[in-house]
Amino acid sequence: MPTATPTTMTDRVTETLAIDFGTSNSAVAVVDRGRVFRLPLEQGQDTLPTAVFFPTGGKMKIGAPAGEALIAGEEGRYMRALKSVLGTTLFHEAKLIGGKRRTIADIVTAFLCEVKERAERMTGLTFTRVVCGRPVHFHSADPERDARAAADLAACLRAAGFVHVRFVLEPEAAALANQGANDTEKLGLVVDIGGGTSDFTLFRTGNDGPDILASHGIRLGGTDFDQHLSLTHVMPLLGHGGELRREFGPGLLPMPKAIFVDLATWARIPFLYTAETRREVAHLVKYAVDRVRVERLETVLEAELGHDIAFAVERGKIAANKPEGAGKIALGLIEARLSAEITRASLDTALADMQVRLEDAIRDTLDLAAVTPGEVGTLVMVGGSSLMSLVEEAGRAVCPEARVARTEAFTAVIDGLALAIERRIGTPH
């Protein structure tokens, strides 16, 4: 698909913007007489990280500059994986961020405002309508929270200036953009693994677009892979799984888990940097059997290194995912020469249960349409986390006869959302 510039588009471009608001990355596009134009929101890129940085006393930064500010050590607050908090009470809790009390709803709205303004400057249009992607389920097996999440996102889009909001399921958008990848004699199965959710759409290729047979999704994505790898590979070096001496009497107590889980969770890291949490960790240091490890945790909180750890885990995951991959999760910012070994074998072991969940979800998708694995001719892999080897292995385990089609992993959804504009596909919200 081409990248849009004002000179490449005609006055037939609709005044509806397509937005793929992702857990890890976001993208926008417009459609011109059936042609999709992605709008390069920064540095000529089709996507930008769904991340924000609030400098102390400065203006909010989004995308790559947000990460650059964090890496440069600027004073301020970095936040990522905002989408994963939709539908939860945390989304509407006011916290002191960037010198001002804000909710994550406020921050998501500000992010979407900036995206909308950039798209309007680039095209010369005013966008009052939006077609936005959404997962099949924001939250697995929780219809009430799922509905709240959709309402939260719709409210943020309206607060950003969109009057008319339509949602399209992300894997169905990917099917629309990639139906040509499927053999018309058999069915195609979109396997869309994003940062926060895994979504599946079973479709048949048709002359007027894909015929959707079933869609299904679970709350499991790349940030969950990162969290689990952090808990199994890094957090033990900070005291996770250790023991505490009792204040009174003999015997030992297990180390509390909650701090480590939060430190391994992208969306919760910023909320650990409080005086209360630091006091709690100082208490743990006092009674820890292995004091040195918990002192490292104390260092992480004092120096606010949580996101540095998360990025290091992400890099380690990518390195270990390669055939015969191996590497180290560099933790030198905590302590000189400190690192955690990660190999393809340790990665596969840590994420084995998640592969089983993906296999189960694929089977559930087929069951919804009452089809057999042998009827699936193509597994269409989309989403950044679909590049993980365990995802292809899960697909092959359920549909061993299907071929794997690797498409535009990061932009399949936004292309389909733009095509959905002209086809008037989507559910108003």
Side-chain angles (χ1 to χ4, degrees):
M1 299 291 179
T3 294
T5 66
T7 58
T8 60
M9 297 181 295
T10 74
D11 58 8
R12 296 281 303 272
V13 172
T14 65
E15 294 187 6
T16 302
L17 187 65
I19 296 182
D20 177 16
F21 175 63
T23 301
S24 300
N25 295 284
S26 294
V28 299
V30 293
V31 64
D32 177 6
R33 293 180 293 187
R35 297 181 69 202
V36 173
F37 290 87
R38 303 175 196 140
L39 304 181
L41 293 176
E42 64 176 20
Q43 301 173 355
Q45 300 297 311
D46 288 335
T47 65
L48 82 164
T50 309
V52 300
F53 185 86
F54 289 94
T56 302
K59 183 181 177 182
M60 180 186 77
K61 301 179 182 182
I62 73 168
E68 291 163 4
L70 175 71
I71 292 169
E74 287 188 35
E75 289 291 328
R77 184 60 53 87
Y78 178 85
M79 303 182 77
R80 188 181 175 192
L82 304 170
K83 184 178 179 179
S84 65
V85 191
L86 288 165
T88 70
T89 56
L90 181 59
F91 195 69
H92 297 287
E93 289 180 9
K95 303 283 186 179
L96 188 62
I97 300 170
K100 179 181 176 182
R101 293 193 69 80
R102 314 170 197 261
T103 65
I104 296 182
D106 295 331
I107 296 168
V108 169
T109 297
F111 180 91
L112 293 170
C113 276
E114 179 65 22
V115 166
K116 180 176 182 287
E117 288 170 7
R118 292 186 188 187
E120 290 176 339
R121 286 198 301 270
M122 188 169 299
T123 61
L125 299 172
T126 298
F127 294 108
T128 59
R129 299 173 179 270
V130 64
V131 170
C132 185
R134 59 152 291 175
V136 178
H137 298 298
F138 289 93
H139 298 276
S140 304
D142 192 338
E144 183 179 342
R145 181 177 286 189
D146 199 53
R148 278 204 310 271
D152 284 343
L153 182 53
C156 290
L157 287 163
R158 288 196 176 86
F162 294 105
V163 179
H164 302 283
V165 176
R166 275 191 288 152
F167 285 135
V168 174
L169 297 182
E170 290 160 357
E172 294 185 8
L176 183 60
N178 290 282
Q179 69 161 340
N182 182 51
D183 182 348
T184 56
E185 298 298 317
K186 289 204 171 188
L187 304 178
L189 178 65
V190 170
V191 179
D192 177 11
I193 315 296
T197 58
S198 295
D199 295 289
F200 312 89
T201 286
L202 190 67
F203 69 95
R204 188 185 305 279
T205 299
N207 294 329
D208 298 321
D211 179 17
I212 306 299
L213 305 184
S215 292
H216 179 54
I218 57 175
R219 188 179 169 90
L220 176 70
T223 56
D224 299 290
F225 301 160
D226 293 349
Q227 182 200 54
H228 205 64
L229 291 173
S230 184
L231 286 170
T232 55
H233 288 69
V234 174
M235 293 303 148
L237 297 175
L238 308 183
H240 181 43
E243 294 178 311
L244 300 170
R245 294 186 297 274
R246 294 179 183 272
E247 291 188 57
F248 304 101
L252 298 174
L253 298 170
M255 186 72 66
K257 297 179 180 179
I259 289 177
F260 300 101
V261 173
D262 285 352
L263 188 58
T265 305
W266 278 101
R268 292 189 173 274
I269 291 169
F271 304 110
L272 284 172
Y273 305 140
T274 65
E276 180 183 356
T277 304
R278 291 186 177 102
R279 284 194 298 270
E280 182 181 349
V281 172
H283 181 81
L284 296 179
V285 169
K286 183 178 179 180
Y287 292 99
V289 172
D290 190 337
R291 182 168 178 151
V292 170
R293 295 188 180 225
V294 187
E295 285 177 339
R296 292 173 184 156
L297 174 63
E298 194 171 40
T299 297
V300 169
L301 296 182
E302 287 296 332
E304 299 190 357
L305 299 176
H307 284 108
D308 297 277
I309 294 173
F311 277 117
V313 170
E314 190 174 52
R315 289 191 293 269
K317 175 187 70 176
I318 292 169
N321 185 58
K322 299 174 182 177
E324 305 303 322
K328 292 183 178 181
I329 300 173
L331 303 169
L333 286 174
I334 304 172
E335 178 184 298
R337 296 182 295 280
L338 182 66
S339 64
E341 299 286 340
I342 184 168
T343 65
R344 177 65 180 272
S346 72
L347 182 148
D348 288 345
T349 298
L351 302 183
D353 288 347
M354 295 186 177
Q355 180 175 330
V356 171
R357 288 183 61 190
L358 291 175
E359 292 173 16
D360 289 343
I362 292 172
R363 291 190 185 92
D364 289 342
T365 307
L366 301 185
D367 289 344
L368 287 171
V371 303
T372 64
E375 294 177 78
V376 178
T378 310
L379 298 171
V380 182
M381 299 288 184
V382 302
S385 295
S386 71
L387 301 174
M388 292 292 292
S389 59
L390 70 94
V391 177
E392 181 173 330
E393 290 166 7
R396 291 188 181 281
V398 180
C399 303
E401 299 174 16
R403 71 181 183 88
V404 174
R406 294 212 168 268
T407 180
E408 299 280 353
F410 294 96
T411 55
V413 170
I414 189 60
D415 291 345
L417 291 172
L419 292 172
I421 293 173
E422 285 192 335
R423 293 172 179 262
R424 300 187 182 279
I425 297 171
T427 303
H429 201 287

